[in-house]
Amino acid sequence: MIWKSIFRGLITFLFLILFQMMGNAQVTFSGDATIESYLSTKKDLPFWFYSNKRGRVNAATTVSAWSHVTANYEFSPNSNIEFGVGAMAQDAGR
């Protein structure tokens, strides 16, 4: 029974501390989107078009697109947390 009271008091204390920190917090959002088209006179793209592209472009790609969005939640000048999501699509050209 006493542990329940202690636990409830601790949760209330932590909630109040978190609520105070959120009052000083700042949230910023950012993002971008990119679309690229590739043309070649041959069946496949030249090697330097698709090498070192982290899988975003392969030899048969004609169109690729990717985008991402991030949210940065700043608790104080010395602490923050950042969340993000991204997506990528390509047609592989065949």
Side-chain angles (χ1 to χ4, degrees):
M1 193 97 162
I2 188 137
W3 293 108
K4 206 180 230 184
S5 298
I6 292 172
F7 182 71
R8 189 174 296 151
L10 182 62
I11 293 296
T12 304
F13 177 73
L14 290 175
F15 179 75
L16 291 174
I17 293 288
L18 182 62
F19 187 71
Q20 177 64 29
M21 287 173 45
M22 287 175 59
N24 297 329
Q26 181 177 357
V27 179
T28 56
F29 296 96
S30 65
D32 68 355
T34 304
I35 298 174
E36 292 183 353
S37 178
Y38 306 94
L39 298 172
S40 177
T41 57
K42 300 193 181 202
K43 182 179 177 184
D44 290 335
L45 294 173
F47 174 74
W48 57 87
F49 271 41
Y50 61 88
S51 64
N52 268 346
K53 296 289 186 177
R54 299 183 182 120
R56 293 179 181 150
V57 178
N58 65 26
T61 300
T62 57
V63 177
S64 66
W66 57 93
S67 65
H68 80 276
V69 177
T70 59
N72 191 334
Y73 187 78
E74 188 174 320
F75 295 106
S76 71
N78 298 328
S79 63
N80 67 354
I81 188 167
E82 186 172 336
F83 297 99
V85 64
M88 196 276 291
Q90 64 176 341
D91 71 340
R94 300 216 191 256

